[in-house]
Amino acid sequence: MVKIAEQDTSLLNLFNESRSLIEKDSSPLVNQWRTKAEEAFKQLGIPSNKVEAYKYTNLQPWFKAQYAYSFSENGYQGKIDEIFKCDVESMESHTVFMVNGKFIPGSNGNVLPQGVVIGSFSELAKKHSLIIEKYYSKIAPVTEDGMVALNTMFANDGIFIHVPAGKVVEKPIQIVNILTGEKDLMVNQRNLIVIEENAQARVLFCDHTLTQSRFVINSVTEAQIDATANLDFYNIQNQHNGTIQVGGYYFNQEKQSVLNANYFTLHTGIARNNIFARLGGEHAENHISGLYLIDKNQHVDNFSYINHAVPDCESNELFKGVMDDASTGAFTGRILVAKDAQRTNAYQSNNNLLLTENAKMNTRPQLEIYADDVKCSHGATVGQLDDNALFYLRARGISKEEANILLRFAFAYEVIEKIQMPELKEQIRELVEKRFRGELDKCDSCVVCGQVDKNAMRCV
Amino acid sequence: MPEIRFKQTILECIMATEQDKLLEEVTNREYQYGFHTDIEMDMLPKGLDEEVIKEISRRKKEPEFMLEFRLEAYRNWLKMESPDWAHLKIPPIDFQDMIYYAAPKKKPQLESMDEVDPELRATFDKLGIPLDEQKVLAGVAVDAIIDSVSVKTTFRETLAEKGIIFCSISEAIQEYPDLVKKHLGSVVPPGDNFFAALNSAVFSDGSFVFIPKGVRCPMELSSYFRINAMNTGQFERTLIVAEDDSYVSYLEGCTAPMRDENQLHAAVVEIVALDRAEVKYSTVQNWYPGDKNGKGGIFNFVTKRGICKGDYSKISWTQVETGSAITWKYPSCVLMGDHTVGEFYSVALTNNYQQADTGTKMIHLGKNTRSLIVSKGISAGFSQNSYRGLVKVSKRAENARNFSQCDSLLLGDKCGAHTFPYLEINNNSAKVEHEATTSKIGEDQIFYCNQRGIDTENAVGLIVNGYVKEVINQLPMEFAVEAQKLLQISLEGSVG
Amino acid sequence: MLKIKDLHAKIDGKEILRGINLEVKAGEIHAIMGPNGSGKSTLAAVLTGNEAFEVNEGEVEFNGEDLLDMAPEDRAREGLFLSFQYPVEIPGVSMTNFMRTALNEQKKHKGEEPLSASDFLKLMRDRKKLVDIDSDLTNRSVNEGFSGGEKKKNEIFQMAMLDPKLAILDETDSGLDIDALRIVANGVNKLKRSDNATILITHYQRLLDYIEPDYVHVLYKGRIVKSAGKELARELEEKGYDWIKKEFEE
């Protein structure tokens, strides 16, 4: 019997005390998983840095039962779109709001293609039991990671997206995740995205904080991408530095499907992304990228696991980071090529700039390969800007400061370039450039979406 | 670049087929060194407790501090668990079902070759290890360790003239207790890890090298390790101390007889390099890897670590690993002094059911330290081959530089090749680069060789030799030839 | 325009320049030739302010100002241009953005207004035509994936854009085929005026068939050991450097 920490016991107690409240509005098919999750959590607990996968991010100090936890049906009563705007300039989207992990009804009125469903996970799980039965907790297994187990115990609401076969959602589906309230809060948001055969969608998650309280988020997103389907996924994280967020993103890809997933961490407290992709059908294509620009005492840990389960798939991974002040970055990228997954092409690279003597970076690119006809490579670098490039720019009359900014921006641009939506690309490009120029207060809470001034937040 | 390399390989192909009949000789051989020598052994009974340790220390007539060292290590070991983080499937090892001390009964005198047990000499002849006088010309001094006890050290006088000490660690403990006391355990402390602790408790012999200030050791120093007796674990201990401005190149080779059961080998090597000293440590590891079905073979759990204590010192590890059923080994450099350099060149070849988890650690502590890692893994059969490495740049290590290149080559679709590097960078003036590739052997290259009349098996051997050249080139000439032969033997039967 | 007095410079403690004296006036073209390792590229690097080199003695005056006192970017803004022997690739920085930044920094330095986007683009078109380079080079990142010849042409294009007072061309002819060499040389000739000057650093006489120098200097072991008119270049072509070395050693 594995001993679990005291705080984990308190989380288990919290679960048992609130279980009836959590289950009240949930689908029985979702409730069915809670006991299994609880069993798994008793074994796994909240991962400390002794768990190999969490070597560089110890979550134990943060996930405790002390946070007030709202199990009521709707955590927010106000009209959220009146106080908060998250617009990408000149980009039309289907925008929905989530407050403290719960869905807020009311979209921006754009008409969805017939059959496409976007809405509250809690509500829609009850209506779409076939989908839940097929995918829920199947893509993100509860037995592997204590955080998934914890989420599955407490899971109640989140976003539910279903794009039926052959449907194409042209406009991006934007989910604005807002954390607000006067009390410190723990949130276990649960999302499910199903893109059926030959369907296409773009999904954009924007994560924000509106008040100064401490927010501890443990979200799990499961995404099924059926054969020849296409998902374009973006996560833009811009939260105050009292935020601790564990974002689990689990993708399952069928044959000839394409996934582009892009992670931008522009501001946060402690961020851990768990990005798992299983290439389960031949000729599936997977492109994952990430950019993290951090300073002060921020900590970002991107953990990715690309599982080439079948032959003839391709994956491409690029993560880049710029660490300022006393921030710490971490990256783990595991590529698994299963036995007989022949003709796999898998590439990965992770490049980092350390700007100050107190910044740190730990990186672990990993290849685990059981098939021989493969082309796999990874590369990782930690360093500074290239002196020769700096001199070349200065010899053309560009000042040292400007040359530094230009090169930093050029460093980051390789990731920005991968954004497939031109309007979003332009917005991020501008923000990153401003960020490097210091023209933008890097502490502003909502640098991404041009939030109205009165809600702008300062760093703690 | 790849194009040029390919051309070289082809050239070597042709030259080799015409000239090097050796290659043909070595194919169709299984484990060349799998014979057993009947020498009367002086053994302790199976099992391990404090009494056994005291007995080992007593028989070796050790001073008090050694017994304390051993007991401390043993007590540490009792509290530790066998590491499980490596990418290895290790069957349970019964540490009580093992003999911890076995010495040839007739301990040969060291004055002349004639006094060496003839059977033992025959063993050496079969091994072809350079023990006889002819080898003076080759400039090789040998300390042969058979089952735990150092048998013969050649050329001691030549070395003694320069003030170099090259002897068994047992003798060193008797004759130079102060030196041993000062350095033993200073790089790998008695409680460092499970296997190092076990070694510290029970080691029976090993080599000791001391190079005094300003001396360049005029010849390659070499030891040969061989496990002979049944049910014995071999726990040798090597300590190399290079004082200011000195240089030494040290070679280590290993063989073991073929046996059905697994045998344990848990060695510790410590290197201390002082100001501007340079130590080159080369290993060709060829322990018995088990048979085609994965039966038998050596478990090789080794802790090797060097410390560049003085400024401008350098430690370079080169290893060619073809043997053992399981290899667990990470020769490391602690770059403590300023401007120090650490290097790690490795070829690890696994075939049949072999498992290897090997790599290095480069710990940058001083200013302007540099490290280089070149690792070439080759997996065949049903084997699993992992590179595991750590590059750590501490906060005070200004201007650290590291470059790592870790390539894996797969021969066959039933084996695995894995790469697990860790880069931990705590100083922003560091430049650290890691690159790794995994691929299978080029079919176009094999075809090209075929077209020139070279059969596939030879072509694979030659291409592999081209692939590992960068590492092999680091070895002293004699060893390089030996290493290439070994690779060829180990690949035997891997091409369908 | 440029006065170099007894210039000494070293890298990693090794002295490469050992007392250079040279004066370049407006309207002149100087060729500096010499065998490999004589210090030609070091001279270019030191003049433009590469921090890898340390000046341990001597003075350099550029338009009456102390050149060695200036940061590399200020030297550039004052009108000193180096065509790099090995132009650096800068992925992610577009040529357009790069040139616009450089040009506007120069304007700001002179107290002039920055160019509007349309004026800038017009100037780009103009200069491209002048030096006869393909328009798609400027749509890419700085030197990224350029062939050797494209990189050198791109250097000359940048020179045309920045309109320097003194241009130093460091081995611009190396690795060029005849067509590219002609384009580079034509560019240099077209940009020549009575109020600017050029220093050609080259190992071979070949470039001097296209660009006629007023003076030829031979650099050897960190010193200028011979200066003469353009006929010296031909002599070097015919006889090689050995006779100079011999003369110098004696």
Side-chain angles (χ1 to χ4, degrees), chain C residues 19-38:
Chain C
I20 302 269
N21 290 291
L22 181 68
E23 184 167 355
V24 177
K25 297 200 181 75
E28 292 177 349
I29 295 181
H30 290 243
I32 295 180
M33 304 183 70
N36 289 330
S38 57

Short mmCIF file of all heavy atoms in Angstrom, two decimals, chain C residues 19-38:
data_model
loop_
_atom_site.label_atom_id
_atom_site.label_comp_id
_atom_site.label_asym_id
_atom_site.label_seq_id
_atom_site.Cartn_x
_atom_site.Cartn_y
_atom_site.Cartn_z
N GLY C 19 51.04 47.36 -36.09
CA GLY C 19 51.45 48.70 -36.50
C GLY C 19 51.02 49.03 -37.91
O GLY C 19 51.84 49.06 -38.83
N ILE C 20 49.72 49.24 -38.08
CA ILE C 20 49.18 49.59 -39.41
C ILE C 20 49.12 51.11 -39.53
O ILE C 20 48.66 51.80 -38.62
CB ILE C 20 47.75 49.02 -39.58
CG1 ILE C 20 47.74 47.51 -39.40
CG2 ILE C 20 47.13 49.48 -40.89
CD1 ILE C 20 47.93 46.71 -40.65
N ASN C 21 49.58 51.61 -40.66
CA ASN C 21 49.42 53.03 -40.98
C ASN C 21 48.77 53.13 -42.35
O ASN C 21 49.21 52.51 -43.31
CB ASN C 21 50.78 53.74 -41.01
CG ASN C 21 51.36 53.84 -39.61
OD1 ASN C 21 50.86 54.58 -38.76
ND2 ASN C 21 52.40 53.05 -39.35
N LEU C 22 47.69 53.91 -42.41
CA LEU C 22 46.98 54.00 -43.69
C LEU C 22 46.14 55.26 -43.69
O LEU C 22 45.52 55.61 -42.68
CB LEU C 22 46.08 52.77 -43.88
CG LEU C 22 45.27 52.69 -45.18
CD1 LEU C 22 46.19 52.48 -46.38
CD2 LEU C 22 44.25 51.56 -45.11
N GLU C 23 46.11 55.94 -44.84
CA GLU C 23 45.20 57.09 -44.94
C GLU C 23 44.36 56.93 -46.20
O GLU C 23 44.87 56.63 -47.27
CB GLU C 23 45.98 58.40 -44.99
CG GLU C 23 45.03 59.57 -45.00
CD GLU C 23 45.70 60.92 -44.72
OE1 GLU C 23 46.92 60.93 -44.43
OE2 GLU C 23 45.00 61.94 -44.81
N VAL C 24 43.05 57.09 -46.02
CA VAL C 24 42.14 56.98 -47.16
C VAL C 24 41.40 58.30 -47.29
O VAL C 24 40.84 58.79 -46.31
CB VAL C 24 41.13 55.84 -46.95
CG1 VAL C 24 40.14 55.77 -48.10
CG2 VAL C 24 41.85 54.50 -46.80
N LYS C 25 41.43 58.89 -48.51
CA LYS C 25 40.75 60.18 -48.72
C LYS C 25 39.48 59.95 -49.53
O LYS C 25 39.32 58.94 -50.20
CB LYS C 25 41.67 61.14 -49.49
CG LYS C 25 42.94 61.51 -48.74
CD LYS C 25 43.52 62.80 -49.34
CE LYS C 25 44.81 63.20 -48.63
NZ LYS C 25 45.95 62.35 -49.02
N ALA C 26 38.58 60.90 -49.45
CA ALA C 26 37.32 60.82 -50.20
C ALA C 26 37.63 60.63 -51.68
O ALA C 26 38.60 61.20 -52.21
CB ALA C 26 36.49 62.07 -49.97
N GLY C 27 36.81 59.85 -52.33
CA GLY C 27 36.97 59.62 -53.77
C GLY C 27 37.95 58.53 -54.13
O GLY C 27 38.09 58.19 -55.30
N GLU C 28 38.61 57.94 -53.12
CA GLU C 28 39.65 56.95 -53.42
C GLU C 28 39.15 55.52 -53.25
O GLU C 28 38.24 55.25 -52.46
CB GLU C 28 40.84 57.14 -52.47
CG GLU C 28 41.60 58.43 -52.72
CD GLU C 28 42.73 58.66 -51.72
OE1 GLU C 28 42.83 57.92 -50.70
OE2 GLU C 28 43.53 59.57 -51.97
N ILE C 29 39.77 54.63 -54.01
CA ILE C 29 39.57 53.20 -53.79
C ILE C 29 40.93 52.58 -53.45
O ILE C 29 41.89 52.73 -54.20
CB ILE C 29 38.98 52.51 -55.03
CG1 ILE C 29 37.57 53.06 -55.32
CG2 ILE C 29 38.94 50.99 -54.83
CD1 ILE C 29 36.88 52.43 -56.50
N HIS C 30 40.99 51.94 -52.28
CA HIS C 30 42.21 51.28 -51.85
C HIS C 30 42.00 49.77 -51.87
O HIS C 30 40.95 49.29 -51.45
CB HIS C 30 42.59 51.69 -50.43
CG HIS C 30 43.05 53.11 -50.33
ND1 HIS C 30 44.31 53.45 -49.94
CD2 HIS C 30 42.40 54.27 -50.57
CE1 HIS C 30 44.43 54.77 -49.94
NE2 HIS C 30 43.29 55.30 -50.32
N ALA C 31 42.98 49.06 -52.35
CA ALA C 31 42.92 47.61 -52.28
C ALA C 31 43.96 47.15 -51.27
O ALA C 31 45.11 47.61 -51.29
CB ALA C 31 43.19 46.98 -53.62
N ILE C 32 43.52 46.27 -50.34
CA ILE C 32 44.49 45.69 -49.41
C ILE C 32 44.60 44.21 -49.73
O ILE C 32 43.62 43.48 -49.72
CB ILE C 32 44.05 45.90 -47.95
CG1 ILE C 32 44.07 47.41 -47.65
CG2 ILE C 32 44.97 45.14 -46.99
CD1 ILE C 32 43.66 47.78 -46.26
N MET C 33 45.81 43.83 -50.10
CA MET C 33 46.02 42.44 -50.49
C MET C 33 47.03 41.81 -49.53
O MET C 33 47.62 42.51 -48.72
CB MET C 33 46.55 42.39 -51.93
CG MET C 33 45.61 43.09 -52.90
SD MET C 33 46.13 42.99 -54.60
CE MET C 33 45.86 41.28 -54.98
N GLY C 34 47.17 40.52 -49.64
CA GLY C 34 48.13 39.87 -48.76
C GLY C 34 47.81 38.40 -48.65
O GLY C 34 46.69 37.98 -48.90
N PRO C 35 48.81 37.62 -48.26
CA PRO C 35 48.59 36.18 -48.13
C PRO C 35 47.63 35.87 -46.97
O PRO C 35 47.35 36.74 -46.14
CB PRO C 35 49.99 35.62 -47.85
CG PRO C 35 50.78 36.77 -47.34
CD PRO C 35 50.19 38.02 -47.93
N ASN C 36 47.16 34.64 -46.93
CA ASN C 36 46.27 34.23 -45.85
C ASN C 36 46.94 34.43 -44.49
O ASN C 36 48.13 34.18 -44.35
CB ASN C 36 45.90 32.75 -45.99
CG ASN C 36 44.96 32.54 -47.16
OD1 ASN C 36 44.18 33.42 -47.51
ND2 ASN C 36 45.06 31.37 -47.78
N GLY C 37 46.16 34.87 -43.54
CA GLY C 37 46.69 35.03 -42.20
C GLY C 37 47.52 36.28 -41.99
O GLY C 37 48.16 36.43 -40.96
N SER C 38 47.50 37.19 -42.96
CA SER C 38 48.32 38.39 -42.80
C SER C 38 47.64 39.44 -41.95
O SER C 38 48.27 40.40 -41.52
CB SER C 38 48.66 38.96 -44.19
OG SER C 38 47.48 39.24 -44.89
#
